[in-house]
Amino acid sequence: MTSSVNKKAEELIEKALRLDTAESGEEYVECLSEAIELNPFNFRPHILLGNYYYKQERYSDAIQSLSNAANIDYTLKNDASEVGKVYINLAKIYQKLNEKQKSLVYYKDYIGLFPEFQHSEVLASQIYVKLKNSKAWFASYRKAREALSGGKHKEAEKLLKACVKANPSFAWSSYYLACSYIERGNVSSVAELLEKCLKNRNHYCFKYTLYKFQIDNGLAVDEELLDEVRAEAPYFVPAILLDAARLNKTGNSEKSLELYKQIISFLPGTEYAQEALDRLFDIQSSSSAESASEGDGDGAIVNELDGNSQMFEDSADKTVQVRTGLFRPSKSKVKVKKGLLSRKPVAGAIPEEEPSVEPSEPCSEPSESYSEPSESYSEPSESYSEPSESYSEPSEPCSEPSESYSDPSESYSEPSESYSEPSESYSEPSETYSEPSVSYAEAAVSKTDPC
């Protein structure tokens, strides 16, 4: 049944893409909305719907759809550039609404999550125009992210520390420094770093990571952190798994099972589904005597999934086996990635010649104290210039940054191509969950984490 539901959702998306939105806009929205209802964790209908609303200047609806797309864990996708477009389009919408500070927040998120794209370097030079030697700072941040992706934690930490010192208001430097410490087991300053992140950017990924860190290290747990994440990012899968574990621990096993079942149904063949199956099996085992005598309850809910075993057979790894009416994941054959830390840069995204910078001192100290460019930053014009000059907003949603990078002082035209559907299907997620064991750098944004 679940397999047929997901197939129906894909058929509705394909039907929507064949429609002429100028003539059949209402039908287009209906098809995508129905696809989301069938499988709310599918990235494509959210971003397609958000971009349609953007073109129609229905900005409130566009913000909702694009925000949902942003917080769907994009580790389920290979194409990080599509997720990057979401952040750019959200920033543009807030520009059109004349909410420049919110626009800056999403531009900074784009820089923090996708430093491999040339557009990030352009934005960094614009937003941090008051930062001395901003090009060197950004180059060091990008190198640090590359080092983390390659597992070179000490090199990355050295660069990130200098980046934090040079530009303390940029929360993502502190975040990835904390993630690297966690990966290496050096946890003494992690909580302080994550709290500092939240002061500069109230991002759900930072809250999730702090909450999980508190659990894993036996600290006092702030349950409000997880509550806020679930409210702000309802489709952020790692937080759903944590919430399900919390519900089961506090005696609400029925709701816990409902969340696990949701993940299994909507994300078949992924490590998230496998982790949910593990948890369901554990719950089933602990209540087997009661379920056997009553014939329903938790055991019946788990056994109900038996009819959906076919949905896992499509996975190349076939990580799930059926045993005596219950799903029990065999030893995982899926290669566990490290979330955002392992997302590889997009080919061709980084210019061949990077700004020269000494790794030991990637950024010069700002000559003056940094302040947000709320006064100097305004809408971009046809040519990039200092943020104090205005620029006109393109009418179309953002497409990928140009392959060739030009210096911010040179003319820059905002891409105007509309969003085209991703050609690739969902790929395996980069993280696993164990009470709680998912990699810290999940996100949003998401390689894959992005977040």
Side-chain angles (χ1 to χ4, degrees):
M1 178 179 177
T2 301
S3 179
S4 63
V5 167
N6 288 333
K7 182 178 179 181
K8 175 63 175 176
E10 290 296 329
E11 290 174 353
L12 286 165
I13 296 170
E14 296 304 320
K15 179 181 178 181
L17 291 172
R18 291 192 296 268
L19 295 172
D20 182 351
T21 56
E23 298 180 358
S24 308
E26 187 174 336
E27 185 179 359
Y28 181 84
V29 171
E30 288 177 358
C31 287
L32 293 176
S33 298
E34 187 177 346
I36 290 172
E37 186 175 346
L38 290 171
N39 185 353
F41 292 92
N42 192 330
F43 178 88
R44 295 173 67 203
H46 288 287
I47 193 171
L48 289 169
L49 198 56
N51 287 338
Y52 173 78
Y53 288 143
Y54 177 86
K55 293 178 185 178
Q56 299 297 314
E57 298 184 354
R58 295 170 57 177
Y59 295 135
S60 179
D61 292 331
I63 288 171
Q64 182 63 56
S65 293
L66 292 174
S67 295
N68 287 340
N71 73 60
I72 288 174
D73 176 27
Y74 81 88
T75 62
L76 300 175
K77 289 183 59 62
N78 282 326
D79 193 354
S81 65
E82 295 299 338
V83 186
K85 293 174 188 177
V86 172
Y87 284 88
I88 290 292
N89 286 342
L90 283 167
K92 289 181 177 181
I93 289 171
Y94 282 114
Q95 284 179 337
K96 289 181 175 292
L97 296 174
N98 203 32
E99 297 186 44
K100 296 179 181 178
Q101 290 303 316
K102 286 187 178 180
S103 177
L104 280 171
V105 164
Y106 283 102
Y107 278 133
K108 290 177 182 178
D109 286 347
Y110 181 87
I111 294 169
L113 291 167
F114 309 102
E116 65 267 31
F117 296 139
Q118 296 103 335
H119 196 43
S120 291
E121 186 167 2
V122 174
L123 288 170
S125 66
Q126 290 269 334
I127 294 172
Y128 294 107
V129 66
K130 294 183 179 180
L131 182 68
K132 185 179 180 181
N133 205 2
S134 63
K135 284 188 178 182
W137 162 77
F138 177 78
S140 295
Y141 176 71
R142 184 164 58 192
K143 288 179 179 178
R145 289 291 309 280
E146 290 174 355
L148 283 178
S149 295
K152 300 175 182 178
H153 291 276
K154 291 186 178 181
E155 178 185 341
E157 288 167 14
K158 185 176 183 180
L159 290 166
L160 288 169
K161 286 177 183 178
C163 288
V164 170
K165 183 179 179 181
N167 191 357
S169 70
F170 186 68
W172 292 98
S173 297
S174 298
Y175 173 69
Y176 282 107
L177 182 57
C179 288
S180 183
Y181 284 157
I182 292 170
E183 293 287 342
R184 290 203 304 115
N186 181 16
V187 299
S188 59
S189 59
V190 168
E192 182 182 352
L193 279 170
L194 292 174
E195 288 168 1
K196 181 180 179 180
C197 290
L198 287 169
K199 289 180 181 178
N200 289 317
R201 170 69 170 106
N202 195 30
H203 196 280
Y204 66 87
C205 189
F206 303 162
K207 295 177 184 177
Y208 162 82
T209 304
L210 179 57
Y211 179 82
K212 188 172 185 299
F213 177 77
Q214 291 171 346
I215 292 176
D216 287 352
N217 291 274
L219 305 176
V221 178
D222 183 359
E223 295 294 345
E224 290 185 2
L225 288 170
L226 185 57
D227 293 337
E228 291 174 10
V229 173
R230 295 288 285 121
E232 296 168 17
Y235 301 128
F236 186 54
V237 182
I240 297 175
L241 286 167
L242 279 181
D243 196 19
R246 179 177 66 173
L247 287 166
N248 183 58
K249 186 176 181 179
T250 55
N252 193 347
S253 59
E254 183 176 347
K255 180 63 176 176
S256 175
L257 287 166
E258 181 182 331
L259 292 178
Y260 286 135
K261 181 180 175 182
Q262 184 183 51
I263 293 172
I264 294 168
S265 299
F266 293 134
L267 304 173
T270 67
E271 286 203 26
Y272 293 124
Q274 183 170 335
E275 182 62 31
L277 285 166
D278 259 330
R279 298 303 171 191
L280 281 172
F281 186 86
D282 292 340
I283 294 172
Q284 169 71 10
S285 298
S286 65
S287 59
S288 57
E290 180 180 352
S291 63
S293 62
E294 296 180 1
D296 60 6
D298 293 349
I301 294 174
V302 178
N303 288 328
E304 181 184 341
L305 297 170
D306 186 46
N308 296 328
S309 61
Q310 181 63 37
M311 68 184 176
F312 293 96
E313 295 180 8
D314 296 331
S315 171
D317 293 304
K318 294 185 178 180
T319 56
V320 179
Q321 297 175 338
V322 179
R323 187 178 69 185
T324 61
L326 294 178
F327 287 116
R328 178 58 176 171
S330 62
K331 187 174 182 180
S332 175
K333 300 177 184 178
V334 180
K335 293 181 179 180
V336 179
K337 301 176 183 177
K338 296 299 182 182
L340 280 170
L341 303 186
S342 67
R343 183 167 59 82
K344 302 299 182 184
V346 176
I350 301 174
E352 293 182 1
E353 294 184 4
E354 300 232 12
S356 59
V357 58
E358 292 296 327
S360 59
E361 189 61 35
C363 306
S364 302
E365 286 282 8
S367 57
E368 54 182 343
S369 59
Y370 173 78
S371 60
E372 292 288 337
S374 57
E375 294 297 326
S376 60
Y377 180 82
S378 58
E379 306 273 321
S381 66
E382 285 299 320
S383 62
Y384 266 110
S385 58
E386 293 298 325
S388 59
E389 297 181 13
S390 63
Y391 61 87
S392 59
E393 188 64 32
S395 59
E396 298 289 332
C398 171
S399 63
E400 286 192 57
S402 167
E403 284 296 326
S404 61
Y405 167 73
S406 59
D407 195 84
S409 61
E410 299 176 2
S411 174
Y412 175 84
S413 298
E414 189 70 36
S416 60
E417 295 181 5
S418 60
Y419 166 80
S420 61
E421 60 166 321
S423 59
E424 299 188 17
S425 59
Y426 278 159
S427 65
E428 292 175 6
S430 60
E431 309 200 18
T432 59
Y433 168 81
S434 63
E435 179 103 34
S437 64
V438 179
S439 296
Y440 284 87
E442 190 74 44
V445 278
S446 329
K447 266 179 186 192
T448 145
D449 277 278
C451 331

